[in-house]
């Protein structure tokens, strides 16, 4: 299994390499060896977003591998109250093969059909309280997400393709019009049409039909370096633009064919059947250099419904000096949420399509010297986290803050927070920081908030609640 850890924004190549090797993405035990930090619809229910600020997106990444060591199940999204506050769940991740096709199966490190749709859940672990049977075609995370959608009408689920560890073959797969068509067609067939490979009694044609409401492209990164084995080329920028358009074209065509079939079957006797709109999004970088290398912003934003901005891993624990990883504002020349937003806006992105990424984890250093509050000081290396070196879930950091062993420090002006005990420092977002960021989203009329990843929150969804309340405030 992989953990999806965001590519570092460290300037020096050596710092980047060190950060990548120490990040959770490169550490199987950390759970997210794939590449978003720690490592991206309205719905009913008592707290469904049908009132104020219902236009703001609340998008959380659910990690495929989190059901194992972390024991974070789809049902936890319901019992914590998080599902009632989300507009979208991005399922991380789907992979692209060396042949340029979306695929799944049971291939260690490459695909996990067992977690996706084969693994049976008992009644206690099921969203609807009913145990899976041996003969049902869909089980695992996919079936639980289907049950979650049934309980929370309007909640959307998207398949996120790639991530840090699975962006390897994107560049090869999109080099020609024919290869792009084949890739997109395979992804729609597997996830949108739900034609899953047969695995015993599981899978088959249409087994997951209707589960996914769109596709999130998580190519890290077109036109610039990502994970060590990820291919990139100068022409990626042009090819990525064409790939996005191909996804939009094929998704729309499939939606129209569905509507036509339903009309023919008599569903729309008294009025035409309206085609479903499938959302199309991407996870995109904070670095201006990476934006310019791989993203023709003005053109791709015409086809995207929204993009999820990198709002974390501005600095990572592989660097020799402590620093903020997700500040709203920063000194000139440093990375920040505000700088990222402005860089995308000035390249032609509409504000309403920009969704701000927020971390549900922290970056940590140990062996910190230099005194003071610990920030911007030399360190000997990454701090040890629960699932790997250098990264820790918010729920664990909250316990450190409450223990009295660490002091909570804040830069209210910059919108950042960190913990320091004199030796070890963790930079992270807590509810106070997230309230500041949601106000920024409202003030700048942005598209909403995205979270990597949902398993880092507390059992009662403390961070999700803070964001939900912040986005629901009057503008």
């Amino acid at each position: 299994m992989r953990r999806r850890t965001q590519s570092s924004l460290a300037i020096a190549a050596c710092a980047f390499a060190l950060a990548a090797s120490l990040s959770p993405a490169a550490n199987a035990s950390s759970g997210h060896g794939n590449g978003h930090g720690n490592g991206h619809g309205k719905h009913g229910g008592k707290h469904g977003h049908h009132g104020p600020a219902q236009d703001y997106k609340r998008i959380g990444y659910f990690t495929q591998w989190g059901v194992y060591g972390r024991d974070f199940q789809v049902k936890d999204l319901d019992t914590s109250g998080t599902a009632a506050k989300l507009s979208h769940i991005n399922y991380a991740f789907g992979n692209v093969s060396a042949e340029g096709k979306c695929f799944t199966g049971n291939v260690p490190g490459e695909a996990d059909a067992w977690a996706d749709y084969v693994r049976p859940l008992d009644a206690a672990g099921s969203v609807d309280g009913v145990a899976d049977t041996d003969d049902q075609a869909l089980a695992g995370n996919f079936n639980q997400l289907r049950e979650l959608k049934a309980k929370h009408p309007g909640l959307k689920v998207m398949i996120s393709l790639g991530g840090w560890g699975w962006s390897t073959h994107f560049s090869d797969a999109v080099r020609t019009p024919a290869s792009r068509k084949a890739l997109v067609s395979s992804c729609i067939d597997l996830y949108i049409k739900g034609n899953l490979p047969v695995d015993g009694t599981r899978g088959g044609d249409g087994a997951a039909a209707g589960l996914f409401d769109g596709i999130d492209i998580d190519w890290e990164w077109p036109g610039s370096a990502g994970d060590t084995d990820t291919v990139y080329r100068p022409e990626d920028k042009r090819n990525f633009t064409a790939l996005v358009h191909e996804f939009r074209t094929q998704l729309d065509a499939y939606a129209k064919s569905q509507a036509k079939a339903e009309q023919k079957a008599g569903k729309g006797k008294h009025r035409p059947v309206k085609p479903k709109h499938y959302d199309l999004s991407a996870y995109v970088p904070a670095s201006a250099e990476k934006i310019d290398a791989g993203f023709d912003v003005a053109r791709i934003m015409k086809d995207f419904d929204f993009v999820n901005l990198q709002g974390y891993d501005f600095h990572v624990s592989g660097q020799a000096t402590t620093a903020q990883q997700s500040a709203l504002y920063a000194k000139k020349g440093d990375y920040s949420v505000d700088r990222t937003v402005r860089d995308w806006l000035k390249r032609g992105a509409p504000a309403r399509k920009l969704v701000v990424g927020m971390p549900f984890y922290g970056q940590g250093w140990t062996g910190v010297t230099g005194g003071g509050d610990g920030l911007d000081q030399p360190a000997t290396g990454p701090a040890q986290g629960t699932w790997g070196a250098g990264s820790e879930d918010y729920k664990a950091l909250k316990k450190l803050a409450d223990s009295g062993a660490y002091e909570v420090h804040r830069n209210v002006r910059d919108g950042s927070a960190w913990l320091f005990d004199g030796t070890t420092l963790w930079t992270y977002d807590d509810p106070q920081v997230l309230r500041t960021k949601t106000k920024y989203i409202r003030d700048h009329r942005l598209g909403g908030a995205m979270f990597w990843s949902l398993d880092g929150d507390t059992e009662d969804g403390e961070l999700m609640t803070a964001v939900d309340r912040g986005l629901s405030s009057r503008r």
Side-chain angles (χ1 to χ4, degrees):
M1 289 185 297
R2 317 143 295 133
R3 183 158 193 73
R4 153 179 214 160
T5 315
Q6 216 45 359
S7 57
S8 158
L9 286 173
I11 302 301
C14 60
F16 174 84
L18 177 60
S21 67
L22 293 171
S23 70
N27 190 333
S29 65
S30 63
H32 184 134
N34 224 13
H36 243 42
N38 192 332
H40 311 255
K42 300 13 169 205
H43 49 285
K46 185 176 180 181
H47 301 291
H49 300 133
H50 297 289
Q54 62 177 350
D55 54 326
Y56 291 120
K57 292 174 176 62
R58 297 147 165 93
I59 303 167
Y61 279 86
F62 182 90
T63 60
Q64 172 198 67
W65 56 91
V67 300
Y68 296 122
R70 290 171 173 265
D71 189 24
F72 188 79
Q73 310 297 329
V74 174
K75 182 178 179 178
D76 294 325
L77 298 177
D78 188 43
T79 57
S80 66
T82 292
K85 303 178 180 77
L86 288 168
S87 64
H88 296 69
I89 294 172
N90 282 2
Y91 187 80
F93 292 99
N95 202 355
V96 175
S97 70
E99 293 72 37
K101 305 288 182 61
C102 274
F103 77 102
T104 188
N106 290 298
V107 185
E110 298 296 327
D112 190 353
W114 174 259
D116 288 345
Y117 65 94
V118 178
R119 180 178 65 112
L121 276 293
D122 61 17
S126 183
V127 172
D128 67 0
V130 178
D132 291 337
T133 62
D134 292 337
D135 59 352
Q136 65 190 60
L138 194 70
N141 293 336
F142 285 7
N143 188 52
Q144 292 305 305
L145 288 168
R146 176 177 279 175
E147 291 180 4
L148 193 69
K149 287 178 63 177
K151 192 169 183 178
H152 299 275
L155 173 63
K156 295 184 178 182
V157 176
M158 299 177 71
I159 181 65
S160 185
L161 303 175
W164 185 249
W166 286 357
S167 291
T168 311
H169 302 297
F170 269 121
S171 183
D172 290 338
V174 301
R175 297 187 73 182
T176 69
S179 67
R180 289 190 292 270
K181 288 180 183 295
L183 171 59
V184 172
S185 177
S186 72
C187 298
I188 290 176
D189 184 72
L190 183 61
Y191 294 111
I192 304 301
K193 296 180 182 179
N195 296 328
L196 302 176
V198 173
D199 189 322
T201 60
R202 312 292 196 219
D205 288 351
L211 171 59
F212 291 105
D213 302 290
I215 290 175
D216 176 56
I217 306 172
D218 207 320
W219 177 356
E220 302 179 27
W221 304 106
S224 65
D227 200 4
T228 52
D229 63 348
T230 298
V231 178
Y232 66 97
R233 302 176 171 87
E235 57 266 35
D236 285 345
K237 183 174 183 177
R238 177 183 69 244
N239 293 338
F240 181 77
T241 302
L243 174 68
V244 173
H245 188 66
E246 186 64 34
F247 264 114
R248 183 73 275 159
T249 299
Q250 288 199 35
L251 286 169
D252 289 350
Y254 178 64
K256 290 178 181 177
S257 70
Q258 280 184 304
K260 185 176 180 179
E262 291 175 4
Q263 189 81 45
K264 188 175 182 179
K267 184 176 180 180
K269 287 184 178 180
H270 304 294
R271 64 183 64 181
V273 176
K274 183 178 180 180
K276 175 184 175 72
H277 178 78
Y278 289 97
D279 281 347
L280 181 62
S281 67
Y283 172 69
V284 296
S287 164
E289 292 77 12
K290 288 187 177 295
I291 298 170
D292 291 337
F295 300 86
D296 187 343
V297 176
R299 291 184 64 190
I300 62 177
M301 295 307 293
K302 294 178 181 178
D303 288 319
F304 279 133
D305 292 280
F306 54 91
V307 294
N308 299 308
L309 303 179
Q310 178 183 359
Y312 36 79
D313 290 348
F314 297 150
H315 295 281
V316 296
S317 58
Q319 295 173 249
T321 302
T322 64
Q324 58 81 21
Q325 77 131 343
S326 53
L328 180 56
Y329 298 101
K331 59 188 176 184
K332 187 176 181 180
D334 199 0
Y335 295 99
S336 70
V337 171
D338 177 67
R339 173 178 167 178
T340 303
V341 169
R342 287 187 287 108
D343 280 344
W344 278 85
L345 288 174
K346 73 182 182 182
R347 287 166 173 78
R352 61 184 172 81
K353 290 189 176 184
L354 298 181
V355 176
V356 174
M358 301 177 179
F360 280 12
Y361 69 96
Q363 293 276 353
W365 292 257
T366 195
V368 179
T369 58
D373 59 19
L375 201 64
D376 299 320
Q377 299 296 335
T380 58
Q384 184 60 44
T386 303
W387 306 104
S391 178
E392 186 60 279
D393 292 347
Y394 169 74
K395 57 192 173 190
L397 297 178
K398 174 181 169 63
K399 292 178 180 178
L400 293 183
D402 293 343
S403 71
Y406 284 75
E407 183 176 353
V408 180
H409 297 272
R410 298 186 185 280
N411 186 322
V412 177
R413 180 190 61 189
D414 288 353
S416 61
W418 63 99
L419 301 172
F420 187 51
D421 69 351
T423 301
T424 300
L425 181 145
W426 292 98
T427 171
Y428 72 125
D429 284 10
D430 67 359
Q432 183 171 327
V433 171
L434 295 183
R435 284 192 291 271
T436 301
K437 290 183 176 180
T438 54
K439 183 178 185 302
Y440 176 91
I441 291 170
R442 299 196 320 269
D443 289 347
H444 291 79
R445 298 184 179 276
L446 303 178
M450 172 274 283
F451 328 107
W452 181 272
S453 57
L454 292 167
D455 50 18
D457 205 353
T458 60
E459 287 188 4
D460 60 352
E462 180 176 292
L463 295 183
M464 184 69 243
T465 297
V467 174
D468 182 61
R469 289 176 177 172
L471 292 179
S472 298
S473 298
R474 292 188 177 183
R475 299 187 183 190

